[in-house]
Amino acid sequence: MTRKRRNDEHSLYDVKRQRFGSPGIYGRTPQVVSPLPVAQSAPPKPPIEGCRHPPGIHKPKQTGGTLVLRRELCPSIPEDPLILAGDKLSQQILALFQACQQQNDDLEKKERCRAQLQKEIRALFPHSTVYLAGSTLNGFGSRSSDADLCLVIKDGSVRYICRAVSGTYIERPQLIRAKVPILKFRDKVSGVEFDLNVNNIVGIRNTFLLRTYAYIESRVRPIILVIKKWARYRGINDASRGTLSSYSLVLMVLHYLQTLPEPVIPCLQKDYPECFSVSMDIHLVPEGPKGIPPFISKNQSTLGDLFLGFLKYYAKEFNWDKLMISVREADALPKPNCREWKNKFICVEEPFDRSNTARAVHEKVKFDAIKAEFTESLRLLQLKKDLNAILPVRATIQER
């Protein structure tokens, strides 16, 4: 079991929610891909028991062919001075998140390309569907994020599909041969870089699981985006070079937030198994989390406290030799005694197919480098309480 960690200082953030509404992405009618929409046929479920008070949720309204869900703080909640972070580190984290988070126009550019691509592919494969996936849609993308696409198709070779999508609006197509082959290309109009995979169904499922976590509690998106920026800057966020993938990092943060003495987020797969069933038809997956209510945590730690706690947990507390990180169970589980997990330096369970998402970390020198960055960043941040000590804020905002 995970050792409980102490929380002494508390605060609550509320970050303005990103609107998402891509007309007809997952069907003929516009969808609001959100964990907190109001049900059409029944009143919304009450907030999870133990919550202080739910955010106000307003019915979606039609705006120019796009459904928009607006979520605000309930008017009955008095203004909480802790919402506006008073400490410098929390202010820096929030400011960096607000500057770097993916904007609606970024998402719309990616959606236009997805729609055009789907149109061309369906001319050859009428029953195929192209999904946006990964950080573009899961809530943890930044302005500079590439776009992940997943083509769900029953037939057709990857080579034939490559020829089919090599239209006049894309350039630099490159087929990457891997366990899951990827077609990389660039959209000439928007300049966005895309990675297209075929039938990576688990990637669609985990996109909507992560999206639900992203929007179920207001601190989740800022802390994860900034941790991703930190890890990239410190050279430990590149699976192709034997360090952590962004997906593994996200799961590591979610696990930490789940296992605090007062959890910041719930365990969605335990609390709502029907919404994230592996047997659910893939075309229904975007609708799966619609009825999940908001989670207002009793844990009021500031963003700064959570960042420090995350670094401390993995630098000093987590037992890498014996334990596996599991968001599915909201726990640190004993490593399975099988080939995929045995003698692996970092074990992070994929919530659906239960593979090791951190298998790229297969050299001890890389594992030691990752641990060293956690330890040194914790030391510097505890000493200076300034994000610039471990991540240059202004330069990161300029890169976005």
Side-chain angles (χ1 to χ4, degrees):
M1 295 293 289
T2 307
R3 187 159 67 89
K4 295 294 185 180
R5 299 183 297 284
R6 182 181 175 188
N7 282 336
D8 296 320
E9 299 181 19
H10 305 286
S11 178
L12 178 68
Y13 274 75
D14 185 74
V15 180
K16 185 177 179 182
R17 182 176 184 153
Q18 175 182 336
R19 177 178 68 88
F20 174 77
S22 297
I25 286 187
Y26 303 110
R28 294 183 180 178
T29 57
Q31 304 285 341
V32 177
V33 185
S34 166
L36 305 175
V38 176
Q40 300 279 331
S41 57
K45 297 178 184 179
I48 296 172
E49 189 172 349
C51 300
R52 185 175 67 176
H53 199 77
I57 301 177
H58 301 266
K59 290 184 179 180
K61 67 179 183 179
Q62 195 76 21
T63 307
T66 301
L67 284 173
V68 181
L69 180 71
R70 303 194 182 280
R71 177 171 175 244
E72 303 169 348
L73 282 177
C74 179
S76 64
I77 299 178
E79 286 191 14
D80 187 342
L82 295 177
I83 289 175
L84 301 175
D87 63 289
K88 179 179 179 179
L89 178 58
S90 295
Q91 287 180 338
Q92 290 173 319
I93 292 170
L94 189 60
L96 184 57
F97 164 73
Q98 290 174 331
C100 295
Q101 67 174 317
Q102 180 177 252
Q103 302 296 313
N104 292 326
D105 59 341
D106 301 321
L107 186 56
E108 287 162 5
K109 289 176 185 176
K110 297 171 183 178
E111 163 53 15
R112 282 194 293 270
C113 188
R114 183 214 64 85
Q116 178 63 33
L117 190 62
Q118 177 165 281
K119 181 180 177 181
E120 292 192 7
I121 293 177
R122 278 187 172 173
L124 299 171
F125 305 99
H127 301 294
S128 63
T129 305
V130 179
Y131 293 83
L132 277 169
S135 61
T136 292
L137 205 58
N138 66 23
F140 302 124
S142 63
R143 301 215 66 180
S144 59
S145 296
D146 294 347
D148 294 320
L149 297 171
C150 178
L151 170 62
V152 177
I153 189 171
K154 291 184 179 179
D155 51 10
S157 70
V158 175
R159 282 184 175 278
Y160 186 47
I161 292 166
C162 288
R163 290 197 297 269
V165 302
S166 297
T168 57
Y169 68 97
I170 73 171
E171 61 184 4
R172 300 196 307 222
Q174 180 186 8
L175 179 62
I176 306 298
R177 299 184 184 281
K179 184 178 179 181
V180 178
I182 295 173
L183 176 65
K184 301 178 75 72
F185 64 90
R186 181 177 181 272
D187 176 28
K188 288 181 180 179
V189 177
S190 65
V192 175
E193 301 280 348
F194 286 87
D195 290 349
L196 172 71
N197 68 69
V198 179
N199 290 333
N200 183 24
I201 303 300
V202 71
I204 299 172
R205 296 190 191 279
N206 64 47
T207 292
F208 286 93
L209 174 65
L210 264 56
R211 185 173 177 83
T212 311
Y213 277 120
Y215 290 105
I216 205 165
E217 217 285 338
S218 60
R219 288 165 289 181
V220 178
R221 290 178 66 220
I223 196 68
I224 286 182
L225 187 145
V226 172
I227 285 173
K228 285 172 64 178
K229 293 288 187 183
W230 161 79
R232 174 67 66 171
Y233 178 74
R234 307 300 294 194
I236 60 171
N237 177 208
D238 189 345
S240 69
R241 297 188 177 186
T243 58
L244 294 164
S245 67
S246 292
Y247 184 37
S248 293
L249 273 169
V250 171
L251 293 175
M252 288 170 66
V253 182
L254 293 178
H255 164 79
Y256 164 71
L257 297 176
Q258 286 176 324
T259 57
L260 287 162
E262 284 290 354
V264 174
I265 55 175
C267 181
L268 291 173
Q269 287 168 285
K270 275 188 172 181
D271 294 345
Y272 304 96
E274 71 283 357
C275 296
F276 303 102
S277 170
V278 293
S279 63
M280 181 183 291
D281 185 279
I282 195 63
H283 301 294
L284 299 178
V285 167
E287 293 292 311
K290 280 189 69 173
I292 296 177
F295 182 85
I296 308 301
S297 172
K298 291 179 180 179
N299 183 317
Q300 297 181 354
S301 298
T302 66
L303 289 173
D305 290 338
L306 291 175
F307 197 173
L308 282 164
F310 167 79
L311 294 173
K312 183 180 179 182
Y313 179 55
Y314 289 112
K316 297 184 176 182
E317 299 176 7
F318 188 79
N319 189 332
W320 297 101
D321 293 332
K322 296 181 179 180
L323 298 178
M324 169 185 76
I325 293 162
S326 176
V327 169
R328 176 181 59 88
E329 291 289 337
D331 203 354
L333 304 176
K335 282 186 183 180
N337 189 24
C338 60
R339 183 178 179 182
E340 183 175 2
W341 299 93
K342 197 174 181 179
N343 300 321
K344 296 298 187 292
F345 296 107
I346 299 180
C347 293
V348 182
E349 181 192 56
E350 207 292 321
F352 291 99
D353 69 16
R354 305 190 189 181
S355 61
N356 183 10
T357 70
R359 58 187 174 272
V361 186
H362 56 80
E363 296 178 12
K364 189 175 186 303
V365 65
K366 296 296 178 70
F367 172 59
D368 289 342
I370 291 168
K371 287 200 304 181
E373 286 299 338
F374 273 90
T375 302
E376 179 63 7
S377 291
L378 174 63
R379 185 188 70 81
L380 291 171
L381 210 54
Q382 285 178 327
L383 180 66
K384 299 187 177 181
K385 297 294 193 299
D386 184 340
L387 190 58
N388 285 293
I390 61 172
L391 175 67
V393 175
R394 182 173 296 180
T396 304
I397 288 175
Q398 290 173 347
E399 292 175 359
R400 298 210 276 194

